[in-house]
Amino acid sequence: MSQAAQQKAKAKDSKKGKKKKNKKAKLTARNANKFVLYQRSVQEPEADVRFLTRVYKREYSRLPMQLREDFCGTAYLCSEWVRSHPERTAVGLDLDEPTLEWGHEHNIAPLGEDAERVSLLKKDVLEATRPRTDIAVAFNFSYCIFQQRSLMLKYMKAVKRCLSPAGMFVLDIHGGPESLEDMEECTEFSDFTYVWDQGPIDALSNITHRAIHFRFKDGTQMKNAFRYHWRIWGMPELCDLMVEAGYRRVDIYWEGYDKDGEGNGIFRKVKTAENDESWIAYVVGFP
Ligand SMILES: C[S@@+](CC[C@H](N)C(=O)[O-])C[C@H]1O[C@@H](n2cnc3c(N)ncnc32)[C@H](O)[C@@H]1O
């Protein structure tokens, strides 16, 4: 999960939490919805839209209009994308029907007429989509489900074929020594605790189990609300694969720090970076 997103969401959530303190204090494992908690814990689509727009405009001097959100889950980003501009369109791809249905009901249908500008497809991200889009994203490290190099390469090539010539493919990546550790990280929200659980990593393959649990103030918990079986990819591997897949240039955007040394959610293009304990970055490929 994007720790940057967690930090931002945490700040956002604690503000909301103050306003709705009494209502939210009653959350328990029995009445909570795992998708709501996930969105509150790890996603901040408004910031994603701002970032994507800024990086795209820097390259092509115009606004990006079409988005392909791979591994879209509840399509939270798709919904924010079309909300951000009256002509923007989004296509979201995910294999899990119940997740897509929940996303449609809670994120897309409430858009009203604007919902027509979103297509949610029960499709493998290796499949082609048309029309071609300005941007494709795979966020919150979802691409780590690809455990073989050949499959990751196939995925990058497949995405490239779905991008317009003035296109851009964006992945996020979590790195640093801590990202490989067997550990649990807890983030407190106003009415629940988000737990990011990193299992032991196989030294030869970098394959590991990761899970998200939610704990509540009444002592109940939603264990393994989400589980992942991932290969942890390194920055050079991802960049090399993008070049091999035919992207003409690959840029890296690195997160800055606030005065306390915490990630500040502001990403700048870099050529070199310190291998901090835990870092977040975006890899951006131009076809
Ligand atoms: C971690 S969630 C991503 C949610 C959201 N994109 C985000 O940024 O937080 C991963 C999603 O990928 C979906 N998924 C896994 N393999 C897939 C594949 N090959 N094609 C499409 N979706 C896939 C799962 O169903 C799950 O909803």
Side-chain angles (χ1 to χ4, degrees), residues 52 56 59-60 62 64-70 81 89 91 93 125-138 154-171 242 245-250 283-287:
L52 294 171
Y56 188 92
E59 184 72 11
Y60 298 112
R62 70 164 172 88
M65 299 310 285
Q66 307 94 25
L67 173 77
R68 168 172 149 149
E69 184 186 6
D70 282 354
W81 182 258
T89 58
V91 56
L93 279 72
V125 295
L126 293 165
E127 289 186 53
T129 46
R130 288 291 180 270
R132 293 172 197 268
T133 59
D134 290 333
I135 298 181
V137 302
K154 187 173 171 189
Y155 171 54
M156 289 180 171
K157 286 182 176 172
V159 170
K160 186 169 173 279
R161 284 194 290 272
C162 299
L163 287 172
S164 64
M168 166 172 121
F169 179 30
V170 187
L171 303 172
M242 274 212 184
Y247 292 80
R248 70 183 152 85
R249 205 180 77 240
V250 180
V283 181
V284 184
F286 297 97

Side-chain angles (χ1 to χ4, degrees), residues 1 141 144-145 147 174 178-185 195-203 205-213 223-224 226-233:
M1 292 302 93
F141 325 122
C144 292
I145 56 132
Q147 298 178 0
H174 174 207
E178 208 177 278
S179 71
L180 305 176
E181 273 173 27
D182 180 358
M183 53 100 93
E184 236 186 45
E185 184 186 66
V195 185
W196 176 238
D197 185 352
Q198 300 188 168
I201 192 162
D202 181 85
S205 63
N206 261 19
I207 292 174
T208 178
H209 282 280
R210 307 252 147 136
I212 293 174
H213 321 298
K223 198 168 164 58
N224 294 321
F226 298 93
R227 298 191 70 186
Y228 310 104
H229 188 218
W230 279 353
R231 167 168 171 177
I232 305 305
W233 292 86

Side-chain angles (χ1 to χ4, degrees), residues 38 43 71 73 94-96 123-125 139-140 142 145 228:
Y38 178 89
Q43 291 189 282
F71 311 98
D94 201 287
L95 284 177
D96 192 62
K123 248 187 194 259
D124 195 301
V125 295
F139 280 171
N140 276 315
S142 310
I145 56 132
Y228 310 104

Side-chain angles (χ1 to χ4, degrees), residues 189-259:
F189 285 78
S190 53
D191 46 359
F192 68 95
T193 302
Y194 164 88
V195 185
W196 176 238
D197 185 352
Q198 300 188 168
I201 192 162
D202 181 85
L204 307 191
S205 63
N206 261 19
I207 292 174
T208 178
H209 282 280
R210 307 252 147 136
I212 293 174
H213 321 298
F214 297 108
R215 294 184 186 138
F216 303 90
K217 292 197 186 312
D218 69 344
T220 57
Q221 76 161 326
M222 215 186 262
K223 198 168 164 58
N224 294 321
F226 298 93
R227 298 191 70 186
Y228 310 104
H229 188 218
W230 279 353
R231 167 168 171 177
I232 305 305
W233 292 86
M235 182 67 94
E237 292 178 295
L238 284 183
C239 293
D240 287 353
L241 277 163
M242 274 212 184
V243 171
E244 201 172 323
Y247 292 80
R248 70 183 152 85
R249 205 180 77 240
V250 180
D251 289 345
I252 295 164
Y253 281 76
W254 198 261
E255 192 178 17
Y257 301 96
D258 63 18
K259 59 179 169 27

